Amino acid sequence: MLSYWQNKSHFIDHEYDLVILGAGVCGLSLAYWAQKYGGKIAILEKGIVGAGASGKNAGFLTGGNLNYFASLLEHYGEDKAIELWRFTTENVALVKHELDLDTNNKVSEYHESGTISLFRTTDNLMRIRHAFELLKKNKFDVEELSAPFDFEKAYKIKTDASYNPVEVLNLLKAKLVNTVIYEHTHCLGLKQQGDFVELQTNKGPIFAKKVIMALNAFTGELLPEIKAKITPVRAQMCYLKTKADALSMANYSIPSERIYMRRYGDGILIGGMRYLDEQNENTAHEELNPKIQNALIERCEKYFGSCQLLHKWCGIMGFTQDEQPIVGRSKYNANVFYIGGYSGHGNGYAFKLSKNLIDEYFAK
Ligand SMILES: Cc1cc2nc3c(=O)[nH]c(=O)nc-3n(C[C@H](O)[C@H](O)[C@H](O)COP(=O)(O)OP(=O)(O)OC[C@H]3O[C@@H](n4cnc5c(N)ncnc54)[C@H](O)[C@@H]3O)c2cc1C
């Protein structure tokens, strides 16, 4: 709780060229790219940096697994699917380059470990093979591996990586030079006042020439036109100590069980399985779901024997209908923009998509 005096002096300044709402991977990326064009920038965050999905995720730096690419092919056809895949591959390369990520450098938890998808005979293996061959033909760095356990096929996307998402948010934050981040600052509403957008917050008003909402699952709360387009979805995660050396250091996805896991430290980070209780997981309420949490442990024990639960948590993501993020300008206020709806792939899209938004609308 803040006193009147603390509240009064909360904002260093009250007028900014750009105010970004939300300090997740997307909000910080927007500030990173916007600062190249100058101007005074502020980020308002209702909690702390990474309070949303960006601080809760599994840390896969990927645009998706091979099964996801097969779905893109079905949904969009070959050309568009390749274009989307190229975008996420370029995003991964851009993150690595701009943040100097390297397996051997100061970011101790960064690994260029790839994403391995494991398939059974019950999966449509022809569909998967076709997707794999197409990626190969288009010169993406993929390979077939021998499959572990009782799986039939294993394919690796070699350009993917994994990291500690909080560590990466801190790296991004350290690169912000003319941006002020106001934590514990909840934006409650906004309206145009002359040349400025007035943002009402729990700490009083603040004014901006332009506003970008990087609120992901929560965009619709401030921008009703987006409410039906980005909907909140919860995801459960746990970290289990187990015989992790049964797996090589990598991200794993098992589409037949709709589960993903990652070898991390001396254990396994494991998450997913929304389908087990979709009704309850379509929510913005941050709460553990015992049904899914128990199932995660059960699945892990099936592969690795007995496991010790080290930590469990959940987070809220924003999903769009076609599971592709959306970017745009508000229909009702030309100074207000939005970006989000990464549908479980924010690490794989947000950095480059933020750059595109800034270059398109904010380049002088
Ligand atoms: C459990 C879990 C596992 C995941 N695993 C992966 C993965 O391995 N790889 C991957 O690519 N993606 C993963 N994702 C998805 C990924 O985390 C998100 O796509 C990404 O973090 C979205 O970033 P963002 O900045 O758009 O949103 P967020 O990180 O959600 O940031 C939005 C911010 O806005 C703030 N906010 C909300 N309302 C207001 C307001 N009115 N005023 C001020 N601030 C406000 C919130 O506090 C929050 O910090 C996972 C998600 C979850 C939940």
Side-chain angles (χ1 to χ4, degrees):
M1 190 185 298
L2 298 183
S3 69
Y4 169 75
W5 310 112
Q6 290 164 326
N7 232 10
K8 185 175 146 82
S9 53
H10 180 68
F11 292 123
I12 300 165
D13 216 327
H14 283 83
E15 285 183 7
Y16 288 87
D17 294 297
L18 173 64
V19 166
I20 295 162
L21 301 181
V25 65
C26 183
L28 298 181
S29 301
L30 288 163
Y32 176 80
W33 295 113
Q35 68 187 3
K36 297 190 186 301
Y37 294 113
K40 274 164 58 189
I41 305 168
I43 301 179
L44 312 187
E45 164 55 54
K46 74 174 174 187
I48 56 168
V49 170
S54 300
K56 308 274 168 66
N57 67 62
F60 287 26
L61 180 55
T62 174
N65 56 49
L66 189 58
N67 188 55
Y68 178 70
F69 178 66
S71 316
L72 289 181
L73 275 177
E74 283 151 6
H75 198 90
Y76 294 104
E78 208 171 299
D79 290 351
K80 178 80 180 161
I82 290 287
E83 189 192 317
L84 289 169
W85 201 254
R86 186 153 287 131
F87 184 92
T88 64
T89 308
E90 285 168 4
N91 177 77
V92 169
L94 195 64
V95 172
K96 288 181 193 173
H97 179 260
E98 295 289 319
L99 299 187
D100 302 319
L101 296 178
D102 184 294
T103 299
N104 304 313
N105 84 356
K106 58 189 178 297
V107 186
S108 57
E109 298 184 39
Y110 173 77
H111 294 284
E112 290 183 359
S113 43
T115 300
I116 299 173
S117 301
L118 302 174
F119 298 97
R120 300 183 189 289
T121 40
T122 46
D123 292 305
N124 182 345
L125 293 177
M126 290 225 328
R127 165 182 177 267
I128 298 300
R129 185 81 207 173
H130 171 65
F132 172 72
E133 293 297 349
L134 201 65
L135 286 179
K136 240 174 116 175
K137 192 175 116 194
N138 283 277
K139 310 250 178 298
F140 291 99
D141 199 0
V142 289
E143 75 175 328
E144 183 169 1
L145 306 173
S146 61
F149 303 113
D150 59 340
F151 292 97
E152 186 68 17
K153 292 281 178 196
Y155 297 102
K156 183 173 186 175
I157 292 155
K158 292 170 72 182
T159 37
D160 285 352
S162 60
Y163 53 48
N164 170 340
V166 171
E167 200 174 44
V168 166
L169 291 177
N170 286 335
L171 272 182
L172 250 177
K173 194 175 138 186
K175 286 185 180 278
L176 301 184
V177 284
N178 47 358
T179 300
V180 191
I181 302 178
Y182 295 111
E183 294 183 314
H184 305 294
T185 308
H186 194 165
C187 181
L188 306 166
L190 61 169
K191 59 173 189 269
Q192 190 69 34
Q193 295 274 43
D195 290 341
F196 284 86
V197 179
E198 178 183 344
L199 297 133
Q200 296 99 40
T201 81
N202 58 325
K203 305 282 170 65
I206 186 167
F207 297 85
K209 288 188 186 146
K210 301 265 187 279
V211 174
I212 308 178
M213 296 190 184
L215 301 170
N216 204 26
F218 305 96
T219 317
E221 287 180 5
L222 287 180
L223 204 59
E225 67 193 88
I226 297 302
K227 206 170 183 75
K229 292 190 177 158
I230 304 180
T231 52
V233 168
R234 192 168 62 197
Q236 304 286 325
M237 295 273 339
C238 62
Y239 177 21
L240 301 161
K241 190 171 164 68
T242 181
K243 288 201 194 102
D245 50 6
L247 287 178
S248 60
M249 189 67 85
N251 307 324
Y252 289 84
S253 138
I254 307 176
S256 56
E257 296 180 22
R258 304 223 205 148
I259 199 171
Y260 53 88
M261 57 176 84
R262 165 181 167 197
R263 173 149 168 221
Y264 174 76
D266 56 356
I268 299 277
L269 267 177
I270 182 169
M273 299 193 70
R274 204 170 57 248
Y275 82 105
L276 252 192
D277 197 1
E278 236 167 293
Q279 200 79 347
N280 284 317
E281 291 298 275
N282 287 339
T283 176
H285 189 53
E286 224 177 273
E287 189 175 52
L288 291 171
N289 182 329
K291 189 172 171 185
I292 296 184
Q293 286 288 340
N294 290 339
L296 291 176
I297 298 175
E298 230 171 73
R299 297 293 156 107
C300 203
E301 291 195 326
K302 184 170 114 186
Y303 296 111
F304 308 107
S306 75
C307 299
Q308 184 195 348
L309 179 65
L310 295 184
H311 204 76
K312 55 184 169 180
W313 69 97
C314 66
I316 311 297
M317 314 176 274
F319 264 61
T320 60
Q321 212 168 17
D322 66 357
E323 301 195 4
Q324 290 302 312
I326 55 172
V327 184
R329 191 193 279 253
S330 166
K331 274 194 282 191
Y332 305 104
N333 188 333
N335 296 319
V336 175
F337 301 81
Y338 56 85
I339 174 168
Y342 296 103
S343 311
H345 296 117
N347 298 340
Y349 278 88
F351 197 57
K352 185 168 161 64
L353 204 60
S354 299
K355 181 178 189 310
N356 288 3
L357 187 157
I358 295 294
D359 286 348
E360 184 170 344
Y361 294 108
F362 293 81
K364 293 222 168 74

